[in-house]
Amino acid sequence: MGFALYDTESKCYAWRYKFSQLKGSSDDGKTKLTLNFQDPEKKEVESEEIECQVLSALLYCMHAFLTAKVASVDPAFCAPLDSQGFLEYCVHF
């Protein structure tokens, strides 16, 4: 599915986007999160603002999920880094 905001009162989605449409995000460090999505057809960026009293928990969950998603697509993402921050690759012959 991707990212979605579901309104429990109306029992409808307020908005939905694919993971690939996320182009950026920002937060105020307290309660507000802004997600920027790009419409693939219009090429316009749409911003969705979420207000959440447990923002740090929401950000932690989103970050963990997105990290797992990237790691599943690119296993090198989780490769160990050397002392200078470069990826170490081991090749066995």
Side-chain angles (χ1 to χ4, degrees):
M1 175 178 276
F3 293 95
L5 182 66
Y6 185 77
D7 183 350
T8 56
E9 290 181 15
S10 68
K11 298 182 181 178
C12 294
Y13 286 99
W15 48 262
R16 284 194 266 202
Y17 298 94
K18 295 179 181 179
F19 289 114
S20 60
Q21 289 179 273
L22 181 65
K23 298 303 173 194
S25 65
S26 62
D27 65 84
D28 68 357
K30 297 175 186 172
T31 61
K32 290 184 183 177
L33 170 64
T34 302
L35 300 172
N36 301 310
F37 299 97
Q38 186 172 24
D39 184 322
E41 294 173 9
K42 300 177 190 173
K43 303 293 183 197
E44 296 174 359
V45 174
E46 301 171 10
S47 296
E48 302 292 353
E49 188 173 275
I50 300 170
E51 192 160 341
C52 178
Q53 297 303 314
V54 288
L55 182 62
S56 60
L58 175 61
L59 292 174
Y60 181 82
C61 288
M62 287 177 63
H63 183 264
F65 184 81
L66 290 171
T67 300
K69 182 103 172 122
V70 170
S72 71
V73 174
D74 181 10
F77 180 76
C78 293
L81 299 177
D82 68 11
S83 61
Q84 287 136 0
F86 294 102
L87 290 176
E88 293 179 356
Y89 289 97
C90 296
V91 179
H92 300 280
F93 294 97

